[in-house]
Every structure is written in structure tokens, then in C-alpha cells.
Amino acid sequence: MKVYISIDMEGVSGVVHNEHTSERGFDYDLARRLMMGEANAAVEGAVAAGATEVLVSDSHGGNGARNLLIDTLHQAADLVTGFPRPLGQLAGLDAYYVVLLLVGYHTRSNAAGVINHTVHGRAINRLTIGGRELGEIGINALLAAQVGVPVGLVTGDELTCAEALDLLPGLETATVKWAVDRYAARCLSPRQAQATIRAAAERAVRGARSLKPFAPKHPAAWEIQYKDSGMAEVASQVPGTTMVQDDTIAYEAPDASTGFKTFTAALAVAAATLVR
Ligand SMILES: [Zn+2]
């Protein structure tokens, strides 16, 4: 039984600031150890539930998605690390996995929550797919659904868990911190957070066969509002996209993975304007 664990950093207990999530941050070394602890807790839960193969994805963009410390990785798991890569936070996911666990995740842009954003906080203001505003939980649920894999667990702050339950009723959640502000939270101790994640991951894998993948909802219109009009202007050079507002592009995607490819290409050229 194959289990896929994608772990981001903003939703890890103790992480509340760019000083944690950036490789140049004062607290980055602490944060990556905390992230590794939560990843291993999820692996332990999956193995306890009978997983025979576990793939962990380092899904945080900081340091080029090379945040996890492989020298302390649980021996039952392999690690996908580094960037860029196809499918982003789900690199290597295919139809042979029984369930996807999203650990250390965060709320979408335009929603409250600790370090909320959608994929790129300085470039993307809003993403809607089929008329619904989605963040990283929603994007990954759609990509996984295309290969028939359900999301079984989301962990992070309490608002992230609520966003997940709103999109995917019936999945397991594990709250490891409570948002006080975008840059402040009441946090569980790492030991307690990891115990909570371990138990939730075990429940999620045991219950995986009764979960249904997110409805694919494609073909669908993808609409991306950027932080400024200059980003939209260069993003609209990607074939198949059109500008629909001064700061917004749109395109029709036949399926989630094609929509995500266009999203990724458009983001790369849009974000390139940040260094000017
Ligand atoms: Zn992240």
C-alpha cells in the first residue's frame, strides 16, 4: 500500500514568520527540524496503518524545496526534494497511491491564517478554478483527483483545517496551532504536534479506501490575479492565456494537470519581474 505525504512549512507548529520559512531567516534551522519531525510523524502513522511504501515530498518553496534533513528521514520513506519539478508539491504522485496526506499546509490567499498565501505570496493575489477561489489544498486535491487519489489528511493551523473540511468533507485533520494573527499563533509543543499528526495519519490511511477523490471539475476556467499589472502582462504571453483585467489572466484547461502546467509557466514569467 503506497502512501504519498506532501509537507509544506508554513503550517508546522512553531512556524509563524518569514524568519522561519526563508533559508536566510534567523530561525530557519529550527523550522526545518520541526518540519522534519512532523514529516516523520506522518510516516510513522502511515506505517502503523499498513503502508508498505511511503513517498515524502519536500513541498516548501524556500531553499529550492530542499528544506527537509534527509539524514533524519524515517527509514520507511523515500524523499522527493529540489525544484523545479513536474506536479510541484505532488511530484511523482500516480494512480498507485491509495491516499495523499498534506502536512504543514496553510490557508489560501485572501483568507485569515498563519502566513496565508497561494503558491507565491509576492506574485499571486487570487486563483479561481471553475469560479471557486482555491489555495494549495484545492490545487493539490484537483491534481490528485485526476489520478484517482483522495486527500486523507490536512494538518496546519485551525483555519487551514477548516478550509480543508469545507473543500473535502470527511477527511482527517490535525490542528497543531491556532492563528492569533498572520504572524502569530498559539502552538502545540513539537512532541504533542507530532503525536497528533501521527495518530491522524494512521486514521487517514486506515480509512483511505472509503474516501472519494475530489470531483475533477474539468474542463474549467482558470483565472489568476497577480499582485500587479506588469506580472499579468508578461504572464499573458503564455500561449492560450488572455488578459481579462489589467492584473488578471484567464484560460480554459481540459484537465487539472494541464491547467497546472499553464499556471506554473505563467507564474515563472510573472515572478521573474520581481527581480527587476
Ligand atoms: Zn511553503
Side-chain angles (χ1 to χ4, degrees):
M1 178 167 53
K2 293 173 68 166
V3 173
Y4 194 105
I5 298 171
S6 178
I7 178 155
D8 202 350
M9 189 182 261
E10 288 86 350
V12 168
S13 184
V15 173
V16 296
H17 196 274
N18 193 40
E19 290 287 343
H20 291 113
T21 58
S22 164
E23 67 275 20
R24 291 180 296 278
F26 181 76
D27 292 317
Y28 175 69
D29 283 340
L30 168 65
R32 66 197 305 200
R33 278 185 274 121
L34 296 172
M35 182 185 179
M36 192 69 248
E38 293 198 3
N40 280 338
V43 176
E44 282 174 22
V47 169
T52 52
E53 189 176 328
V54 181
L55 186 56
V56 172
S57 167
D58 188 326
S59 295
H60 175 61
N63 201 34
R66 299 182 304 271
N67 307 282
L68 291 175
L69 299 155
I70 195 169
D71 56 347
T72 53
L73 179 68
H74 192 295
Q75 63 186 15
D78 287 353
L79 175 67
V80 178
T81 181
F83 194 82
R85 59 200 192 200
L87 276 184
Q89 294 173 314
L90 302 184
L93 182 75
D94 62 28
Y96 295 102
Y97 287 88
V98 297
V99 68
L100 167 64
L101 313 182
L102 301 176
V103 177
Y105 271 68
H106 51 81
T107 49
R108 61 170 172 78
S109 57
N110 302 303
V114 177
I115 324 180
N116 69 307
H117 66 282
T118 298
V119 183
H120 193 310
R122 290 188 297 146
I124 291 175
N125 198 40
R126 182 186 304 273
L127 167 69
T128 62
I129 302 174
R132 183 167 192 181
E133 186 169 3
L134 295 174
E136 294 169 34
I137 297 167
I139 294 170
N140 289 331
L142 284 170
L143 289 170
Q146 190 174 333
V147 290
V149 177
V151 181
L153 171 67
V154 171
T155 86
D157 68 21
E158 89 285 18
L159 298 171
T160 302
C161 294
E163 179 177 315
L165 283 167
D166 186 48
L167 282 172
L168 308 159
L171 90 168
E172 295 286 343
T173 61
T175 297
V176 298
K177 61 188 174 188
W178 288 261
V180 176
D181 178 270
R182 189 165 192 254
Y183 303 105
R186 173 176 174 157
C187 300
L188 292 179
S189 72
R191 187 175 295 186
Q192 189 61 45
Q194 289 162 22
T196 303
I197 289 168
R198 184 194 181 285
E202 184 174 348
R203 289 197 305 274
V205 175
R206 284 195 195 285
R209 308 244 181 235
S210 62
L211 287 167
K212 287 193 178 64
F214 199 32
K217 296 187 174 71
H218 277 79
W222 288 51
E223 195 168 295
I224 307 158
Q225 182 182 48
Y226 295 96
K227 291 289 184 182
D228 64 52
S229 58
M231 292 183 184
E233 282 159 6
V234 295
S236 71
Q237 300 305 307
V238 174
T241 69
T242 52
M243 281 184 77
V244 293
Q245 299 277 346
D246 287 351
D247 58 358
T248 305
I249 68 161
Y251 55 94
E252 187 77 9
D255 53 54
S257 63
T258 306
F260 186 69
K261 281 183 186 174
T262 304
F263 174 85
T264 302
L267 176 58
V269 293
T273 67
L274 281 168
V275 297
R276 284 181 189 168

